[in-house]
């Protein structure tokens, strides 16, 4: 494999967990709920997925368990914010703190244990083509799943009736309620979906990307996923682009070390975080654009008065 | 099944304001008992190891202050911001920058500054934290960038910077290649006040911050502005309060306090710069701020309680062989219960059939 192909392939690998988590959060936010607990749901997904695959020997079980784990944590968030009307920002932070602690507790049993890599797609002849072979026809199943789900979300939000209802709940919950839509139920489902996707994203890190469990292994990726949603201005297609862009920023460091670039590795590791700040600044600078694109009820509590 | 309905209270319940944190603590203790049982430990024995043994000696009580001080310093600053809806969650990064800036002065200028070293370190530490918090403040007021995400991203950057320094230019040549700076020396060491404990300047500053925070929020016009901006931004605009100034002030004060906590930690209890100088004080301070109901005196009590959970975690790790991660689970659980109990302050829970509203429902 040439250096360029290696860079592109690892870019896709590091983008996939971001894309999964951000796509889920996008749906949650479109319904008007801001869940800042992505980091916590991802890390719990990572450890639960690892444990499930380690004990069952099946990667499918691992990812399924991770999705359920993420969704359970999200359910906790949903109950508190939708039924107990707790502050969404504070509850999201709580979810992250809780998730980091819980995952460390569960994970003590799995430190240093190995797992096999996920099988890669292999179409004889085609997967061996230069560059596009490994890049497009030689990835693991979850990479394809992440892209397919993102496209499905784009279609769901813009082309289906339920997608329209979900968006209307996020834009104006009072109006949606007056029209008879079950605001809380829809939001709860959107929150669960976001949690399951974050769980999958976390599991991708521990089952495919490394594949190892280590404490705090998400290293801020949940927060980067949140920034990606803002970056995409809540549009799934842009999310796809943004995730790969950030995937690139996070792997530059690995390849730069290989190429003996004379910069301390610590500074190269800062890149994804600095890039996140830079991108946020560029996108947010235009306050009007954010206001026009963000779901109008984002982060606001809803209590049916009638 | 009787219907359970929420009725908004005309005024926040004073009783529930004080009762809800206590209720959350009780619920967390019950949750902890379940967790201990799941992990196969006798809950009562675990309670004792966690909450009583660590503070049964003078040294232990001192440690409560040592662990509580950074939490309280960070939380006082954060709470001021939270009141104004300024969500600085990067106190951990500001803590690290305070340690780097103050520690740098202590490492390299001690021979030059002599007895002035300690005040210089404190000023540098506060400025380090302040400058680090000024970045999100600038990006928020100038570019409208979300301070939650920027302040958090900067925490990772700060941690990498500290790693670079203690592995690279600031590494102790006599340190057997360990990633650590030289130990602080002479005037750069913040000695404990009381023999037999490690209690020192950090604890004193935490107490001063509590009083200062109370004065600011309850007795000053600036504090009033902060509260109005948080409760009703529209009214604040109408009254002509400068909201950008409030954002700047909230981030600056919380950054400076976190920075002070950082320099006190490295020059006091730790004694040198290391790659990891905090068990997540900056993040846990968020819990402390909420548990203290964003009130300085509440934060004092909350900080000591959370400090006890840290001490308990360390003690239980040794005596009961419990993983230290249990502490994080407790802290998260406590915050959840706290947020759920918060409901009782603003709403009345009515059980039974609603009288008049039944037609509409």
């Amino acid at each position: 494999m040439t250096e360029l192909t290696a860079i592109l392939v690892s870019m896709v690998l590091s983008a996939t967990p971001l894309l999964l988590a951000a796509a889920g959060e996008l749906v949650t936010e479109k319904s008007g709920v801001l869940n800042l607990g992505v980091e916590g749901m991802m890390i719990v997904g990572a450890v639960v997925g690892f444990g499930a695959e380690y004990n069952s020997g099946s990667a499918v079980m691992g990812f399924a368990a991770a999705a359920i784990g993420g969704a359970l944590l999200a359910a906790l968030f949903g109950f508190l914010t939708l039924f107990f009307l707790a502050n969404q920002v504070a509850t999201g932070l709580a979810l992250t703190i809780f998730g980091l602690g819980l995952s460390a507790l569960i994970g003590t049993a799995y430190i240093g244990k190995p797992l096999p890599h996920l099988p890669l797609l292999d179409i004889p002849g085609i997967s061996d083509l230069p560059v596009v072979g490994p890049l497009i026809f030689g990835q693991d199943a979850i990479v394809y799943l992440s892209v397919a789900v993102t496209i499905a979300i784009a279609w769901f939000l813009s082309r289906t009736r339920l997608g329209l209802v979900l968006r209307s709940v996020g834009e104006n919950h009072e109006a949606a309620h007056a029209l008879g839509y079950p605001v809380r139920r829809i939001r709860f489902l959107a929150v669960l979906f976001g949690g399951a996707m974050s769980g999958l994203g976390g599991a991708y890190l521990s089952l495919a990307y490394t594949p190892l469990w280590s404490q705090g292994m998400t290293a801020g990726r949940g927060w980067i996923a949140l920034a990606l949603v803002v970056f995409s201005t809540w549009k799934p297609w842009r999310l796809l682009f943004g995730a790969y862009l950030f995937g690139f920023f996070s792997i530059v460091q690995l390849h730069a070390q290989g190429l003996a670039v004379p910069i301390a590795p610590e500074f190269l590791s800062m890149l994804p975080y600095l890039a996140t700040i830079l991108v946020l600044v560029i996108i947010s600078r235009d306050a009007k654009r954010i206001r026009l694109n963000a779901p109008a009820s984002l982060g606001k509590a809803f209590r049916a008065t009638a | 099944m009787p219907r359970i309905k929420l009725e908004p209270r005309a005024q926040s319940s004073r009783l529930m304001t004080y009762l809800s944190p206590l209720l959350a603590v009780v619920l967390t203790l019950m949750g902890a008992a379940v967790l201990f049982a799941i992990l196969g430990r006798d809950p009562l024995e675990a309670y004792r190891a966690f909450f009583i043994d660590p503070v049964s000696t003078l040294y232990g009580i001192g440690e409560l202050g040592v662990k509580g001080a950074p939490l309280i310093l960070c939380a006082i600053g954060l709470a001021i911001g939270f009141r104004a809806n300024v969500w600085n969650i990067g106190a951990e990064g500001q803590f690290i920058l305070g340690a780097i800036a103050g520690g740098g002065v202590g490492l390299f200028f001690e021979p030059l500054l002599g007895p002035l070293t300690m005040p210089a370190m404190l000023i540098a530490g506060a400025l380090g934290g302040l400058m680090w918090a000024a970045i999100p403040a600038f990006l928020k007021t100038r570019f409208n960038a979300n301070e939650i995400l920027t302040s958090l991203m900067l925490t990772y950057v700060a941690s990498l910077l500290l790693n670079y320094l203690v592995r690279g230019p600031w590494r102790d040549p006599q340190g057997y290649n360990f990633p650590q700076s030289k130990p602080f020396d002479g005037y750069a060491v913040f000695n404990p006040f009381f023999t037999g404990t490690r209690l020192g300047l950090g604890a004193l500053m935490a107490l001063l911050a509590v009083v200062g925070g109370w004065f600011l929020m309850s007795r000053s016009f600036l504090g009033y502005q902060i509260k109005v901006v948080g409760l009703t931004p529209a009214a604040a605009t109408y009254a002509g309060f400068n909201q950008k100034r409030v954002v700047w002030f909230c981030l600056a004060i919380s950054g400076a306090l976190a920075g002070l906590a950082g320099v006190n930690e490295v020059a006091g209890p730790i004694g040198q710069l290391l790659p990891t100088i905090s068990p997540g004080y900056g993040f846990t301070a968020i819990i402390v701020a909420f548990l203290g109901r964003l009130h300085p005196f509440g934060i004092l009590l909350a900080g000591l309680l959370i400090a006890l959970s840290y001490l308990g975690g360390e003690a239980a790790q040794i005596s009961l062989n419990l993983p230290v991660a249990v502490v994080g689970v407790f802290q998260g659980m406590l915050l959840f219960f706290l947020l759920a109990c918060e409901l009782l302050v603003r709403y009345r829970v009515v059980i039974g059939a609603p009288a008049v509203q039944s037609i509409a429902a």
Side-chain angles (χ1 to χ4, degrees):
Chain A
M1 231 191 299
T2 64
E3 187 68 26
L4 173 74
T5 318
I7 290 179
L8 289 174
V9 168
S10 54
M11 174 187 86
V12 171
L13 283 182
S14 67
T16 299
L18 295 176
L19 182 59
L20 286 165
E25 177 69 13
L26 185 135
V27 173
T28 304
E29 292 193 14
K30 270 288 184 188
S31 81
V33 181
L34 178 66
N35 185 352
L36 292 181
V38 178
E39 179 87 1
M41 301 186 294
M42 276 183 91
I43 193 89
V44 167
V47 74
V48 169
F50 192 96
E53 177 173 341
Y54 188 81
N55 291 318
S56 73
S58 146
V60 176
M61 285 295 284
F63 281 103
I68 294 170
L72 280 177
L73 226 58
L76 201 58
F77 173 87
F79 273 118
L80 279 170
T81 55
L82 300 173
F83 297 95
F84 283 76
L85 306 176
N87 179 312
Q88 292 182 10
V89 172
T91 312
L93 291 175
L95 201 61
T96 291
I97 292 171
F98 180 69
L100 287 170
L102 184 66
S103 64
L105 181 60
I106 300 174
T108 42
Y110 302 116
I111 291 170
K113 304 267 169 71
L115 276 185
H117 280 269
L118 290 185
L120 303 179
L121 181 68
D122 188 14
I123 311 170
I126 298 177
S127 297
D128 301 326
L129 291 172
V131 188
V132 290
L135 185 62
I136 300 178
F137 301 106
Q139 303 282 4
D140 58 64
I142 305 296
V143 170
Y144 300 113
L145 178 77
S146 68
V147 177
V149 170
T150 311
I151 296 171
I153 289 171
W155 172 79
F156 167 78
L157 287 174
S158 62
R159 294 276 180 274
T160 67
R161 192 182 156 71
L162 194 59
L164 184 67
V165 171
L166 183 129
R167 282 190 292 145
S168 73
V169 166
E171 290 297 335
N172 188 334
H173 48 216
E174 298 292 347
H177 176 67
L179 288 171
Y181 293 120
V183 172
R184 280 200 301 206
R185 199 183 311 157
I186 288 167
R187 286 192 168 165
F188 194 70
L189 290 174
V191 166
L192 287 186
F193 178 76
M197 292 290 285
S198 288
L200 283 181
Y204 190 79
L205 285 172
S206 62
L207 300 186
Y209 191 68
T210 39
L212 270 177
W213 161 256
S214 66
Q215 199 178 321
M217 68 185 299
T218 42
R221 285 187 181 82
W223 296 99
I224 294 181
L226 278 160
L228 268 177
V229 178
V230 180
F231 168 79
S232 75
T233 53
W234 294 269
K235 294 187 177 73
W237 288 104
R238 282 206 203 166
L239 203 62
L240 208 53
F241 168 71
Y244 289 112
L245 183 70
F246 273 82
F248 177 75
F249 284 129
S250 5
I251 50 108
V252 165
Q253 169 216 354
L254 301 172
H255 291 279
Q257 274 168 339
L259 295 170
V261 176
I263 301 176
E266 286 89 359
F267 287 107
L268 291 168
S269 301
M270 290 176 189
L271 261 180
Y273 308 114
L274 294 174
T276 306
I277 295 176
L278 185 70
V279 157
L280 268 176
V281 165
I282 293 170
I283 294 292
S284 313
R285 207 178 35 172
D286 189 353
K288 206 189 290 168
R289 191 159 97 200
I290 293 285
R291 216 172 25 244
L292 282 177
N293 285 296
S297 297
L298 186 60
K300 291 183 187 145
F302 171 73
R303 196 181 70 89
T305 42
Chain B
M1 203 179 115
R3 282 182 63 94
I4 300 175
K5 266 190 88 83
L6 293 178
E7 258 178 38
R9 295 178 192 270
Q11 267 186 328
S12 305
S13 157
R14 263 192 94 76
L15 176 68
M16 283 301 167
T17 303
Y18 296 110
L19 215 57
S20 70
L22 289 179
L23 189 59
V25 169
V26 170
L27 287 169
T28 306
L29 287 177
M30 285 160 68
V34 174
L35 189 64
F36 287 138
I38 291 172
L39 293 169
R41 309 293 195 287
D42 175 16
L44 281 180
E45 198 190 328
Y47 275 158
R48 220 194 61 206
F50 230 89
F51 300 111
I52 296 173
D53 289 352
V55 283
S56 53
T57 61
L58 176 68
Y59 178 80
I61 293 171
E63 283 305 282
L64 205 57
V66 171
K67 293 265 191 297
L71 289 171
I72 293 167
L73 276 168
C74 291
I76 292 281
L78 293 183
I80 295 170
F82 292 170
R83 282 287 185 95
N85 267 327
V86 175
W87 297 94
N88 172 15
I89 58 168
E92 183 82 1
Q94 294 139 22
F95 179 96
I96 292 173
L97 255 288
I100 290 176
V105 169
L107 283 174
F108 299 109
F109 297 102
E110 191 266 339
L112 191 73
L113 291 165
L116 292 175
T117 305
M118 188 194 270
M121 284 172 79
L122 290 173
I123 293 169
L127 280 178
L130 189 150
M131 300 297 265
W132 207 242
I135 302 172
F138 173 71
L139 298 178
K140 167 99 176 168
T141 51
R142 178 74 180 75
F143 297 113
N144 189 37
N146 183 315
E147 76 280 12
I148 298 178
L149 294 171
T150 52
S151 65
L152 191 92
M153 290 293 128
L154 285 169
T155 297
Y156 291 99
V157 176
S159 165
L160 286 163
L161 183 65
L162 176 63
N163 258 282
Y164 165 74
L165 290 173
V166 295
R167 284 170 209 279
W170 289 11
R171 187 168 62 191
D172 181 4
Q174 269 105 54
Y176 304 100
N177 249 342
F178 280 112
Q180 58 189 32
S181 75
K182 278 189 313 191
F184 293 110
D185 198 21
Y187 289 110
V189 181
F190 296 6
N191 285 314
F193 292 162
F194 308 101
T195 40
T197 71
R198 299 198 296 162
L199 213 52
L201 194 58
L204 179 67
M205 296 202 136
L207 287 177
L208 289 176
V210 168
V211 177
W214 170 79
F215 184 82
L216 174 77
M217 292 311 284
S218 308
R219 290 288 176 272
S220 77
F221 184 52
L222 184 59
Y224 174 71
Q225 288 185 326
I226 288 170
K227 283 188 273 192
V228 174
V229 166
L231 287 171
T232 39
T237 313
Y238 187 66
F241 298 164
N242 186 337
Q243 300 203 23
K244 287 190 175 176
R245 227 186 66 193
V246 168
V247 171
W248 268 102
F249 177 79
C250 289
L251 277 157
I253 189 95
S254 58
L257 287 174
L260 271 179
V263 65
N264 271 307
E265 189 70 12
V266 290
I270 297 181
Q272 67 190 142
L273 288 173
L274 301 170
T276 312
I277 51 172
S278 151
Y281 285 137
F283 294 115
T284 310
I286 298 170
I287 305 181
V288 173
F290 279 111
L291 182 61
R293 296 203 53 89
L294 307 184
H295 190 287
F297 295 127
I299 288 170
L300 178 63
L301 294 176
L304 294 175
L305 181 69
I306 299 287
L308 180 59
S309 81
Y310 272 120
L311 293 180
E314 285 169 12
Q317 190 183 16
I318 297 162
S319 64
L320 296 176
N321 196 22
L322 275 172
V324 80
V326 171
V327 179
V329 178
F330 288 169
Q331 292 174 349
M333 206 149 61
L334 177 60
L335 190 45
F336 277 133
F337 284 126
L338 206 59
L339 291 163
C341 293
E342 181 80 26
L343 179 88
L344 301 172
V345 179
R346 287 174 297 135
Y347 295 91
R348 204 189 306 276
V349 180
V350 183
I351 300 173
V356 194
Q357 291 172 344
S358 57
I359 305 161

